[in-house]
Structure formats: structure tokens, C-alpha cells
Amino acid sequence: MPRKESELNEQLIDLLQGEKIVSLITTDKDTKKPNLSIVSWLVAHEDGKTIKFALGHKAESAFNIQENPNLILGVVGAGSCYSINGKGSVSEVIDKTMKYRVVTVEVESVEDVIFYGGKITQEPDYVKTYDEELAKKLDEEVYALLKS
């Protein structure tokens, strides 16, 4: 039976401290159909009710959230799969090494959505395929924004 909570538990807060592959589902501002993208610059705050993530300043997802703030974050980890429903608000463009927008999500519900009898035994992993120094600089810059 799926468990639905109103905020992130401690295990999810610990998991969502960046460098995770998280699905972002928004509503396309033009077609009104679901739109899927992936984010990894993401931080859950200790209150269990707030998640912040960064996008490029021209990301379609940012424009979708401005039009319709309802979104879902799909998380694989902490032994299961979770659907985090919330409302997002998009910052103005932040001009640093690159131009970003920060989305602040007010968590409305968290549901364990894995199929009956399923358990995640290994989390998705990835590598960055661009310049190592640039990746480090961008990560430091973005996480400073997300943790504030």
C-alpha cells in the first residue's frame, strides 16, 4: 500500500543533497501535456518542506513552472521510488559563470510509488562529460545558491 506523507522524511532529505538524477515533470505551457526533464543540481532543506533546484536560464521547465507551478519530482533512491508533488516558484535570472534560475518547491505530498514487493538496490549514477574544472566551479556556485 503506497504511503503518502506531507513532507520529506530524514532519509529523503539526506538523499537529496545534490548530484542525484531526479525526474522533473511539469505541464508544457503550450501543449498543456506533461513534460519530463532531468535535474541534478538539487538540494532538500532540513525543514522537509522545501526543495531548491537550478536550471539554465532558458530551460523550458522554468517557463512551464511560471505558467503552471504544479510539478512532480521523481526520485529513485533510499530503497524505493518517490513522487514528490509540490508548487514551484522561479527566480529571476542569476548571472554567474553561466545564467541560472533557481526553482523553490513547496512540498505538498511525498508518496512511495514503487510496485508491490519492489525495492531499489542500486541508485542511478552518472558522470559529467565536460571540463572537470568548469564542472567543479559550476557545482560550487550552484550549491551556494541552493543552500541559501
Side-chain angles (χ1 to χ4, degrees), residues 111-129:
E111 188 172 4
D112 184 333
V113 293
I114 198 161
F115 51 86
Y116 176 77
K119 179 179 180 176
I120 298 299
T121 58
Q122 185 174 346
E123 293 177 19
D125 199 11
Y126 68 95
V127 295
K128 295 176 183 170
T129 58

mmCIF file with all atom_site columns, all heavy atoms in Angstrom, residues 111-129:
data_model
loop_
_atom_site.group_PDB
_atom_site.id
_atom_site.type_symbol
_atom_site.label_atom_id
_atom_site.label_alt_id
_atom_site.label_comp_id
_atom_site.label_asym_id
_atom_site.label_entity_id
_atom_site.label_seq_id
_atom_site.pdbx_PDB_ins_code
_atom_site.Cartn_x
_atom_site.Cartn_y
_atom_site.Cartn_z
_atom_site.occupancy
_atom_site.B_iso_or_equiv
_atom_site.pdbx_formal_charge
_atom_site.auth_seq_id
_atom_site.auth_comp_id
_atom_site.auth_asym_id
_atom_site.auth_atom_id
_atom_site.pdbx_PDB_model_num
ATOM 1   N N   . GLU A 1 111 ? 5.020  10.521 -1.877  1.00 0.00 ? 111 GLU A N   1
ATOM 2   C CA  . GLU A 1 111 ? 4.421  9.198  -1.920  1.00 0.00 ? 111 GLU A CA  1
ATOM 3   C C   . GLU A 1 111 ? 5.442  8.168  -2.395  1.00 0.00 ? 111 GLU A C   1
ATOM 4   O O   . GLU A 1 111 ? 6.152  8.397  -3.373  1.00 0.00 ? 111 GLU A O   1
ATOM 5   C CB  . GLU A 1 111 ? 3.219  9.206  -2.861  1.00 0.00 ? 111 GLU A CB  1
ATOM 6   C CG  . GLU A 1 111 ? 2.410  7.945  -2.835  1.00 0.00 ? 111 GLU A CG  1
ATOM 7   C CD  . GLU A 1 111 ? 1.115  8.053  -3.624  1.00 0.00 ? 111 GLU A CD  1
ATOM 8   O OE1 . GLU A 1 111 ? 0.873  9.088  -4.266  1.00 0.00 ? 111 GLU A OE1 1
ATOM 9   O OE2 . GLU A 1 111 ? 0.342  7.087  -3.578  1.00 0.00 ? 111 GLU A OE2 1
ATOM 10  N N   . ASP A 1 112 ? 5.511  7.057  -1.686  1.00 0.00 ? 112 ASP A N   1
ATOM 11  C CA  . ASP A 1 112 ? 6.323  5.922  -2.092  1.00 0.00 ? 112 ASP A CA  1
ATOM 12  C C   . ASP A 1 112 ? 5.522  5.215  -3.188  1.00 0.00 ? 112 ASP A C   1
ATOM 13  O O   . ASP A 1 112 ? 4.426  4.719  -2.936  1.00 0.00 ? 112 ASP A O   1
ATOM 14  C CB  . ASP A 1 112 ? 6.541  5.006  -0.883  1.00 0.00 ? 112 ASP A CB  1
ATOM 15  C CG  . ASP A 1 112 ? 7.465  3.842  -1.181  1.00 0.00 ? 112 ASP A CG  1
ATOM 16  O OD1 . ASP A 1 112 ? 7.542  3.417  -2.348  1.00 0.00 ? 112 ASP A OD1 1
ATOM 17  O OD2 . ASP A 1 112 ? 8.094  3.347  -0.235  1.00 0.00 ? 112 ASP A OD2 1
ATOM 18  N N   . VAL A 1 113 ? 6.047  5.196  -4.426  1.00 0.00 ? 113 VAL A N   1
ATOM 19  C CA  . VAL A 1 113 ? 5.262  4.710  -5.554  1.00 0.00 ? 113 VAL A CA  1
ATOM 20  C C   . VAL A 1 113 ? 5.824  3.433  -6.197  1.00 0.00 ? 113 VAL A C   1
ATOM 21  O O   . VAL A 1 113 ? 5.385  3.050  -7.286  1.00 0.00 ? 113 VAL A O   1
ATOM 22  C CB  . VAL A 1 113 ? 5.108  5.813  -6.642  1.00 0.00 ? 113 VAL A CB  1
ATOM 23  C CG1 . VAL A 1 113 ? 4.256  6.952  -6.116  1.00 0.00 ? 113 VAL A CG1 1
ATOM 24  C CG2 . VAL A 1 113 ? 6.455  6.311  -7.143  1.00 0.00 ? 113 VAL A CG2 1
ATOM 25  N N   . ILE A 1 114 ? 6.762  2.769  -5.529  1.00 0.00 ? 114 ILE A N   1
ATOM 26  C CA  . ILE A 1 114 ? 7.300  1.554  -6.131  1.00 0.00 ? 114 ILE A CA  1
ATOM 27  C C   . ILE A 1 114 ? 6.223  0.469  -6.121  1.00 0.00 ? 114 ILE A C   1
ATOM 28  O O   . ILE A 1 114 ? 5.327  0.477  -5.264  1.00 0.00 ? 114 ILE A O   1
ATOM 29  C CB  . ILE A 1 114 ? 8.590  1.075  -5.426  1.00 0.00 ? 114 ILE A CB  1
ATOM 30  C CG1 . ILE A 1 114 ? 9.346  0.115  -6.329  1.00 0.00 ? 114 ILE A CG1 1
ATOM 31  C CG2 . ILE A 1 114 ? 8.273  0.492  -4.064  1.00 0.00 ? 114 ILE A CG2 1
ATOM 32  C CD1 . ILE A 1 114 ? 10.794 -0.061 -5.979  1.00 0.00 ? 114 ILE A CD1 1
ATOM 33  N N   . PHE A 1 115 ? 6.289  -0.425 -7.080  1.00 0.00 ? 115 PHE A N   1
ATOM 34  C CA  . PHE A 1 115 ? 5.317  -1.514 -7.181  1.00 0.00 ? 115 PHE A CA  1
ATOM 35  C C   . PHE A 1 115 ? 5.439  -2.448 -5.975  1.00 0.00 ? 115 PHE A C   1
ATOM 36  O O   . PHE A 1 115 ? 6.485  -2.514 -5.330  1.00 0.00 ? 115 PHE A O   1
ATOM 37  C CB  . PHE A 1 115 ? 5.504  -2.287 -8.490  1.00 0.00 ? 115 PHE A CB  1
ATOM 38  C CG  . PHE A 1 115 ? 6.922  -2.730 -8.724  1.00 0.00 ? 115 PHE A CG  1
ATOM 39  C CD1 . PHE A 1 115 ? 7.393  -3.923 -8.189  1.00 0.00 ? 115 PHE A CD1 1
ATOM 40  C CD2 . PHE A 1 115 ? 7.784  -1.941 -9.468  1.00 0.00 ? 115 PHE A CD2 1
ATOM 41  C CE1 . PHE A 1 115 ? 8.707  -4.320 -8.391  1.00 0.00 ? 115 PHE A CE1 1
ATOM 42  C CE2 . PHE A 1 115 ? 9.099  -2.341 -9.680  1.00 0.00 ? 115 PHE A CE2 1
ATOM 43  C CZ  . PHE A 1 115 ? 9.556  -3.535 -9.136  1.00 0.00 ? 115 PHE A CZ  1
ATOM 44  N N   . TYR A 1 116 ? 4.368  -3.163 -5.697  1.00 0.00 ? 116 TYR A N   1
ATOM 45  C CA  . TYR A 1 116 ? 4.316  -4.063 -4.555  1.00 0.00 ? 116 TYR A CA  1
ATOM 46  C C   . TYR A 1 116 ? 5.469  -5.058 -4.610  1.00 0.00 ? 116 TYR A C   1
ATOM 47  O O   . TYR A 1 116 ? 5.703  -5.699 -5.628  1.00 0.00 ? 116 TYR A O   1
ATOM 48  C CB  . TYR A 1 116 ? 2.980  -4.818 -4.511  1.00 0.00 ? 116 TYR A CB  1
ATOM 49  C CG  . TYR A 1 116 ? 2.925  -5.823 -3.393  1.00 0.00 ? 116 TYR A CG  1
ATOM 50  C CD1 . TYR A 1 116 ? 2.710  -5.411 -2.080  1.00 0.00 ? 116 TYR A CD1 1
ATOM 51  C CD2 . TYR A 1 116 ? 3.142  -7.169 -3.632  1.00 0.00 ? 116 TYR A CD2 1
ATOM 52  C CE1 . TYR A 1 116 ? 2.691  -6.318 -1.036  1.00 0.00 ? 116 TYR A CE1 1
ATOM 53  C CE2 . TYR A 1 116 ? 3.126  -8.093 -2.601  1.00 0.00 ? 116 TYR A CE2 1
ATOM 54  C CZ  . TYR A 1 116 ? 2.902  -7.661 -1.305  1.00 0.00 ? 116 TYR A CZ  1
ATOM 55  O OH  . TYR A 1 116 ? 2.879  -8.567 -0.281  1.00 0.00 ? 116 TYR A OH  1
ATOM 56  N N   . GLY A 1 117 ? 6.184  -5.177 -3.514  1.00 0.00 ? 117 GLY A N   1
ATOM 57  C CA  . GLY A 1 117 ? 7.267  -6.136 -3.398  1.00 0.00 ? 117 GLY A CA  1
ATOM 58  C C   . GLY A 1 117 ? 8.580  -5.667 -4.013  1.00 0.00 ? 117 GLY A C   1
ATOM 59  O O   . GLY A 1 117 ? 9.551  -6.405 -4.017  1.00 0.00 ? 117 GLY A O   1
ATOM 60  N N   . GLY A 1 118 ? 8.611  -4.443 -4.531  1.00 0.00 ? 118 GLY A N   1
ATOM 61  C CA  . GLY A 1 118 ? 9.832  -3.932 -5.143  1.00 0.00 ? 118 GLY A CA  1
ATOM 62  C C   . GLY A 1 118 ? 10.691 -3.173 -4.153  1.00 0.00 ? 118 GLY A C   1
ATOM 63  O O   . GLY A 1 118 ? 10.192 -2.549 -3.216  1.00 0.00 ? 118 GLY A O   1
ATOM 64  N N   . LYS A 1 119 ? 12.004 -3.246 -4.355  1.00 0.00 ? 119 LYS A N   1
ATOM 65  C CA  . LYS A 1 119 ? 12.944 -2.494 -3.535  1.00 0.00 ? 119 LYS A CA  1
ATOM 66  C C   . LYS A 1 119 ? 14.116 -2.096 -4.417  1.00 0.00 ? 119 LYS A C   1
ATOM 67  O O   . LYS A 1 119 ? 14.644 -2.923 -5.169  1.00 0.00 ? 119 LYS A O   1
ATOM 68  C CB  . LYS A 1 119 ? 13.439 -3.331 -2.356  1.00 0.00 ? 119 LYS A CB  1
ATOM 69  C CG  . LYS A 1 119 ? 14.432 -2.581 -1.488  1.00 0.00 ? 119 LYS A CG  1
ATOM 70  C CD  . LYS A 1 119 ? 14.910 -3.388 -0.315  1.00 0.00 ? 119 LYS A CD  1
ATOM 71  C CE  . LYS A 1 119 ? 15.896 -2.545 0.479   1.00 0.00 ? 119 LYS A CE  1
ATOM 72  N NZ  . LYS A 1 119 ? 16.349 -3.205 1.674   1.00 0.00 ? 119 LYS A NZ  1
ATOM 73  N N   . ILE A 1 120 ? 14.535 -0.830 -4.354  1.00 0.00 ? 120 ILE A N   1
ATOM 74  C CA  . ILE A 1 120 ? 15.678 -0.356 -5.117  1.00 0.00 ? 120 ILE A CA  1
ATOM 75  C C   . ILE A 1 120 ? 16.955 -0.816 -4.410  1.00 0.00 ? 120 ILE A C   1
ATOM 76  O O   . ILE A 1 120 ? 17.139 -0.552 -3.220  1.00 0.00 ? 120 ILE A O   1
ATOM 77  C CB  . ILE A 1 120 ? 15.661 1.186  -5.253  1.00 0.00 ? 120 ILE A CB  1
ATOM 78  C CG1 . ILE A 1 120 ? 14.418 1.639  -6.015  1.00 0.00 ? 120 ILE A CG1 1
ATOM 79  C CG2 . ILE A 1 120 ? 16.931 1.699  -5.918  1.00 0.00 ? 120 ILE A CG2 1
ATOM 80  C CD1 . ILE A 1 120 ? 14.305 1.101  -7.422  1.00 0.00 ? 120 ILE A CD1 1
ATOM 81  N N   . THR A 1 121 ? 17.821 -1.488 -5.150  1.00 0.00 ? 121 THR A N   1
ATOM 82  C CA  . THR A 1 121 ? 19.073 -1.990 -4.570  1.00 0.00 ? 121 THR A CA  1
ATOM 83  C C   . THR A 1 121 ? 20.278 -1.206 -5.053  1.00 0.00 ? 121 THR A C   1
ATOM 84  O O   . THR A 1 121 ? 21.354 -1.324 -4.483  1.00 0.00 ? 121 THR A O   1
ATOM 85  C CB  . THR A 1 121 ? 19.278 -3.480 -4.909  1.00 0.00 ? 121 THR A CB  1
ATOM 86  O OG1 . THR A 1 121 ? 19.276 -3.627 -6.337  1.00 0.00 ? 121 THR A OG1 1
ATOM 87  C CG2 . THR A 1 121 ? 18.170 -4.326 -4.297  1.00 0.00 ? 121 THR A CG2 1
ATOM 88  N N   . GLN A 1 122 ? 20.098 -0.408 -6.117  1.00 0.00 ? 122 GLN A N   1
ATOM 89  C CA  . GLN A 1 122 ? 21.193 0.399  -6.637  1.00 0.00 ? 122 GLN A CA  1
ATOM 90  C C   . GLN A 1 122 ? 20.614 1.675  -7.234  1.00 0.00 ? 122 GLN A C   1
ATOM 91  O O   . GLN A 1 122 ? 19.687 1.629  -8.032  1.00 0.00 ? 122 GLN A O   1
ATOM 92  C CB  . GLN A 1 122 ? 21.958 -0.378 -7.704  1.00 0.00 ? 122 GLN A CB  1
ATOM 93  C CG  . GLN A 1 122 ? 23.177 0.340  -8.203  1.00 0.00 ? 122 GLN A CG  1
ATOM 94  C CD  . GLN A 1 122 ? 23.986 -0.546 -9.150  1.00 0.00 ? 122 GLN A CD  1
ATOM 95  O OE1 . GLN A 1 122 ? 23.785 -1.745 -9.238  1.00 0.00 ? 122 GLN A OE1 1
ATOM 96  N NE2 . GLN A 1 122 ? 24.894 0.073  -9.862  1.00 0.00 ? 122 GLN A NE2 1
ATOM 97  N N   . GLU A 1 123 ? 21.172 2.818  -6.842  1.00 0.00 ? 123 GLU A N   1
ATOM 98  C CA  . GLU A 1 123 ? 20.686 4.100  -7.352  1.00 0.00 ? 123 GLU A CA  1
ATOM 99  C C   . GLU A 1 123 ? 21.324 4.409  -8.702  1.00 0.00 ? 123 GLU A C   1
ATOM 100 O O   . GLU A 1 123 ? 22.452 3.995  -8.963  1.00 0.00 ? 123 GLU A O   1
ATOM 101 C CB  . GLU A 1 123 ? 21.039 5.215  -6.361  1.00 0.00 ? 123 GLU A CB  1
ATOM 102 C CG  . GLU A 1 123 ? 20.302 5.091  -5.048  1.00 0.00 ? 123 GLU A CG  1
ATOM 103 C CD  . GLU A 1 123 ? 20.721 6.148  -4.050  1.00 0.00 ? 123 GLU A CD  1
ATOM 104 O OE1 . GLU A 1 123 ? 21.305 7.176  -4.454  1.00 0.00 ? 123 GLU A OE1 1
ATOM 105 O OE2 . GLU A 1 123 ? 20.463 5.944  -2.855  1.00 0.00 ? 123 GLU A OE2 1
ATOM 106 N N   . PRO A 1 124 ? 20.599 5.162  -9.551  1.00 0.00 ? 124 PRO A N   1
ATOM 107 C CA  . PRO A 1 124 ? 21.186 5.587  -10.834 1.00 0.00 ? 124 PRO A CA  1
ATOM 108 C C   . PRO A 1 124 ? 22.439 6.428  -10.585 1.00 0.00 ? 124 PRO A C   1
ATOM 109 O O   . PRO A 1 124 ? 22.539 7.138  -9.589  1.00 0.00 ? 124 PRO A O   1
ATOM 110 C CB  . PRO A 1 124 ? 20.099 6.457  -11.462 1.00 0.00 ? 124 PRO A CB  1
ATOM 111 C CG  . PRO A 1 124 ? 18.855 6.179  -10.709 1.00 0.00 ? 124 PRO A CG  1
ATOM 112 C CD  . PRO A 1 124 ? 19.255 5.674  -9.368  1.00 0.00 ? 124 PRO A CD  1
ATOM 113 N N   . ASP A 1 125 ? 23.395 6.331  -11.493 1.00 0.00 ? 125 ASP A N   1
ATOM 114 C CA  . ASP A 1 125 ? 24.637 7.083  -11.378 1.00 0.00 ? 125 ASP A CA  1
ATOM 115 C C   . ASP A 1 125 ? 24.952 7.697  -12.732 1.00 0.00 ? 125 ASP A C   1
ATOM 116 O O   . ASP A 1 125 ? 24.440 7.251  -13.758 1.00 0.00 ? 125 ASP A O   1
ATOM 117 C CB  . ASP A 1 125 ? 25.757 6.144  -10.938 1.00 0.00 ? 125 ASP A CB  1
ATOM 118 C CG  . ASP A 1 125 ? 26.953 6.869  -10.366 1.00 0.00 ? 125 ASP A CG  1
ATOM 119 O OD1 . ASP A 1 125 ? 26.852 8.087  -10.104 1.00 0.00 ? 125 ASP A OD1 1
ATOM 120 O OD2 . ASP A 1 125 ? 27.997 6.218  -10.189 1.00 0.00 ? 125 ASP A OD2 1
ATOM 121 N N   . TYR A 1 126 ? 25.795 8.717  -12.730 1.00 0.00 ? 126 TYR A N   1
ATOM 122 C CA  . TYR A 1 126 ? 26.177 9.365  -13.980 1.00 0.00 ? 126 TYR A CA  1
ATOM 123 C C   . TYR A 1 126 ? 27.555 9.995  -13.822 1.00 0.00 ? 126 TYR A C   1
ATOM 124 O O   . TYR A 1 126 ? 28.064 10.121 -12.717 1.00 0.00 ? 126 TYR A O   1
ATOM 125 C CB  . TYR A 1 126 ? 25.151 10.425 -14.392 1.00 0.00 ? 126 TYR A CB  1
ATOM 126 C CG  . TYR A 1 126 ? 25.106 11.624 -13.474 1.00 0.00 ? 126 TYR A CG  1
ATOM 127 C CD1 . TYR A 1 126 ? 25.829 12.774 -13.769 1.00 0.00 ? 126 TYR A CD1 1
ATOM 128 C CD2 . TYR A 1 126 ? 24.371 11.607 -12.293 1.00 0.00 ? 126 TYR A CD2 1
ATOM 129 C CE1 . TYR A 1 126 ? 25.814 13.873 -12.921 1.00 0.00 ? 126 TYR A CE1 1
ATOM 130 C CE2 . TYR A 1 126 ? 24.345 12.698 -11.447 1.00 0.00 ? 126 TYR A CE2 1
ATOM 131 C CZ  . TYR A 1 126 ? 25.061 13.825 -11.768 1.00 0.00 ? 126 TYR A CZ  1
ATOM 132 O OH  . TYR A 1 126 ? 25.054 14.901 -10.924 1.00 0.00 ? 126 TYR A OH  1
ATOM 133 N N   . VAL A 1 127 ? 28.137 10.388 -14.946 1.00 0.00 ? 127 VAL A N   1
ATOM 134 C CA  . VAL A 1 127 ? 29.379 11.145 -14.943 1.00 0.00 ? 127 VAL A CA  1
ATOM 135 C C   . VAL A 1 127 ? 29.172 12.399 -15.776 1.00 0.00 ? 127 VAL A C   1
ATOM 136 O O   . VAL A 1 127 ? 28.343 12.425 -16.684 1.00 0.00 ? 127 VAL A O   1
ATOM 137 C CB  . VAL A 1 127 ? 30.580 10.336 -15.510 1.00 0.00 ? 127 VAL A CB  1
ATOM 138 C CG1 . VAL A 1 127 ? 30.905 9.161  -14.620 1.00 0.00 ? 127 VAL A CG1 1
ATOM 139 C CG2 . VAL A 1 127 ? 30.323 9.894  -16.933 1.00 0.00 ? 127 VAL A CG2 1
ATOM 140 N N   . LYS A 1 128 ? 29.912 13.436 -15.451 1.00 0.00 ? 128 LYS A N   1
ATOM 141 C CA  . LYS A 1 128 ? 29.883 14.674 -16.228 1.00 0.00 ? 128 LYS A CA  1
ATOM 142 C C   . LYS A 1 128 ? 30.925 14.555 -17.331 1.00 0.00 ? 128 LYS A C   1
ATOM 143 O O   . LYS A 1 128 ? 32.058 14.165 -17.060 1.00 0.00 ? 128 LYS A O   1
ATOM 144 C CB  . LYS A 1 128 ? 30.160 15.873 -15.325 1.00 0.00 ? 128 LYS A CB  1
ATOM 145 C CG  . LYS A 1 128 ? 29.060 16.058 -14.303 1.00 0.00 ? 128 LYS A CG  1
ATOM 146 C CD  . LYS A 1 128 ? 29.360 17.165 -13.344 1.00 0.00 ? 128 LYS A CD  1
ATOM 147 C CE  . LYS A 1 128 ? 28.241 17.225 -12.320 1.00 0.00 ? 128 LYS A CE  1
ATOM 148 N NZ  . LYS A 1 128 ? 28.551 18.100 -11.218 1.00 0.00 ? 128 LYS A NZ  1
ATOM 149 N N   . THR A 1 129 ? 30.532 14.871 -18.542 1.00 0.00 ? 129 THR A N   1
ATOM 150 C CA  . THR A 1 129 ? 31.415 14.651 -19.684 1.00 0.00 ? 129 THR A CA  1
ATOM 151 C C   . THR A 1 129 ? 32.046 15.935 -20.196 1.00 0.00 ? 129 THR A C   1
ATOM 152 O O   . THR A 1 129 ? 32.628 15.950 -21.269 1.00 0.00 ? 129 THR A O   1
ATOM 153 C CB  . THR A 1 129 ? 30.642 13.973 -20.834 1.00 0.00 ? 129 THR A CB  1
ATOM 154 O OG1 . THR A 1 129 ? 29.537 14.810 -21.196 1.00 0.00 ? 129 THR A OG1 1
ATOM 155 C CG2 . THR A 1 129 ? 30.150 12.603 -20.413 1.00 0.00 ? 129 THR A CG2 1
#
